[in-house]
Amino acid sequence: MDAARLDELLLTPTASIRTAIERIDAGAIEIALVVDDRGRLLGTLTDGDVRRALLRGVSLDDPAGSIAHRGPVTAPLGMAESRLLAMMTEHGIDQVPLLGEDGRVHDVAFLRDLLGASETPLHHAENPVVLMAGGLGTRLRPLTESTPKPMLPVGDKPLMETVLGQIRDAGFSRVLISVNFHAEVIEGHFGDGSDFGVDITYLHEDEPLGTAGALRLAGGALDRPFVVMNADLLTNVKLAALMRFHREEHNLITVGVRRYALEVPYGVIELNETQLVAMREKPRLSFFVNAGIYAVEPAAMPLLPQLPSSFNMPDLVEAALARRLRVGGFPVREYWLDIGQLADYDRAHSDHATHFSVHG
């Protein structure tokens, strides 16, 4: 790695988490290194470390050093590539900082470089992505009277074409699309997916089955961890990061969550029977809300009812929680817009050029 590229990875402990995110995202390097003023390694930060911190309620303006992983796996500069590869395989990691005898960072070894481009598989090529596109889009009428909501134009193409581009660019190639309302419009545009760099299978709902019930139509196709995503979302969330986070957390289901703030326009009163014990003037409340994106293990499939019962993804989550199975949250820190209302659709047009202009 050249010196300029290495410098892009280095952070002081007082740099903000926001800056760390910029370094992690730059060039898909996916790691930032926290160092002291002499360049000695203090800790590392990955995308997963940042998202776990966001779940704990940290601010993007907090110092990166406060959430850095101390004692990361490192190797001495000059270690043989075969030993580096074995180390990464043993620890299940994609990067190893290479240190001099003084503890300074001299380089970083990357798994993809050690394997070579010709031997590096797409990490998630075989993990299916299920797009739910069977809804009626009633809240967007009259625009959706003859056009499924995911096929409405945003920018210069249908919304779902942008979604499929995100899926393809994240390294996924197997896509299952649940269709019902005007399914022929979707199938006629995308076909088998070969023109869009993916392999598409259609799940035909004779009647609405809900966002989870349609998974029953997939049969044995969901044979490994898979992503479920509403097809009417405009987002550049990193699906590969979601799948990696899901795997690291050993979850049965991982729910994409989004921070939502609500300002109460009144003074909020807390009472103990008839006595006022506290008053907060126009408090700002913050919650995590469902972002409509999930990573799911095949082991969750038995929780689904038999067809033709309608069942939604929140129902599946509730079923898992009732059995005390492991369900986690993945904070969506990237751009995200649920196109549910006409105002959202108008906003999607203005936002598309800013957030998706690089995707052809």
Side-chain angles (χ1 to χ4, degrees):
M1 175 184 292
D2 60 55
R5 189 179 182 214
L6 179 61
D7 284 343
E8 293 177 355
L9 304 185
L10 304 183
L11 291 169
T12 65
T14 57
S16 70
I17 294 173
R18 192 186 310 276
T19 300
I21 288 173
E22 294 171 357
R23 302 291 176 87
I24 290 169
D25 289 348
I29 291 175
E30 299 179 351
I31 193 171
L33 309 178
V34 179
V35 298
D36 64 15
D37 56 3
R38 295 178 59 186
R40 294 175 299 193
L41 184 66
L42 300 176
T44 60
L45 273 175
T46 64
D47 181 89
D49 293 328
V50 171
R51 294 189 199 261
R52 278 181 278 270
L54 293 177
L55 289 176
R56 297 195 302 268
V58 303
S59 165
L60 293 181
D61 296 319
D62 287 346
S66 66
I67 65 168
H69 175 61
R70 307 288 173 157
V73 176
T74 65
L77 186 66
M79 176 179 276
E81 290 188 355
S82 60
R83 292 184 61 192
L84 286 170
L85 186 56
M87 177 184 291
M88 293 185 189
T89 302
E90 177 186 353
H91 292 279
I93 54 179
D94 295 335
Q95 315 96 348
V96 172
L98 303 178
L99 309 183
E101 293 183 359
D102 56 359
R104 294 180 63 244
V105 179
H106 286 262
D107 204 346
V108 179
F110 293 93
L111 180 62
R112 61 175 178 261
D113 294 338
L114 295 177
L115 290 174
S118 62
E119 299 180 40
T120 305
L122 291 174
H123 284 307
H124 307 290
E126 294 303 314
N127 292 101
V129 177
V130 183
L131 287 179
M132 295 301 176
L136 299 178
T138 55
R139 292 179 296 171
L140 285 180
R141 287 179 179 170
L143 298 178
T144 54
E145 286 181 351
S146 60
T147 303
K149 183 164 60 167
M151 295 302 294
L152 291 175
V154 175
D156 59 352
K157 66 187 72 172
L159 168 62
M160 195 156 71
E161 192 171 325
T162 296
V163 174
L164 282 175
Q166 295 291 107
I167 291 169
R168 178 198 63 225
D169 293 347
F172 296 83
S173 60
R174 294 174 58 194
V175 180
L176 294 82
I177 303 178
S178 172
V179 293
N180 182 357
F181 178 68
H182 284 301
E184 72 281 357
V185 176
I186 296 174
E187 294 183 63
H189 185 84
F190 293 108
D192 64 3
S194 56
D195 290 342
F196 302 89
V198 294
D199 178 19
I200 295 177
T201 299
Y202 295 96
L203 308 176
H204 292 91
E205 299 181 45
D206 295 329
E207 55 186 281
L209 298 176
T211 52
L215 298 178
R216 279 290 187 196
L217 299 174
L222 302 179
D223 56 353
R224 61 192 64 206
F226 58 94
V227 172
V228 179
M229 181 176 175
N230 296 340
D232 55 2
L233 294 177
L234 185 62
T235 178
N236 53 20
V237 62
K238 294 174 175 56
L239 295 178
L242 166 63
M243 190 58 72
R244 186 182 306 112
F245 187 94
H246 173 75
R247 183 181 68 242
E248 291 172 351
E249 292 292 308
H250 306 288
N251 291 330
L252 179 73
I253 303 171
T254 300
V255 182
V257 298
R258 182 80 174 173
R259 180 72 72 176
Y260 180 80
L262 175 67
E263 185 170 298
V264 180
Y266 308 103
V268 173
I269 303 298
E270 183 179 343
L271 294 171
N272 181 8
E273 296 184 352
T274 64
Q275 297 299 298
L276 190 152
V277 296
M279 181 171 63
R280 290 184 293 160
E281 186 64 24
K282 298 180 180 179
R284 183 178 177 85
L285 307 178
S286 181
F287 311 91
F288 280 115
V289 299
N290 188 350
I293 306 167
Y294 309 82
V296 185
E297 291 292 315
M301 294 294 285
L303 299 178
L304 296 172
Q306 294 301 313
L307 295 174
S309 298
S310 179
F311 206 63
N312 289 309
M313 287 303 297
D315 299 323
L316 182 61
V317 170
E318 291 288 350
L321 292 174
R323 291 162 177 78
R324 300 181 181 276
L325 301 174
R326 190 170 175 86
V327 179
F330 173 85
V332 176
R333 57 173 175 79
E334 299 88 349
Y335 174 84
W336 176 92
L337 179 65
D338 176 13
I339 303 177
Q341 307 283 350
L342 287 171
D344 300 321
Y345 184 55
D346 291 339
R347 178 181 167 189
H349 281 289
S350 61
D351 287 356
H352 185 273
T354 300
H355 296 280
F356 299 91
S357 59
V358 296
H359 295 281

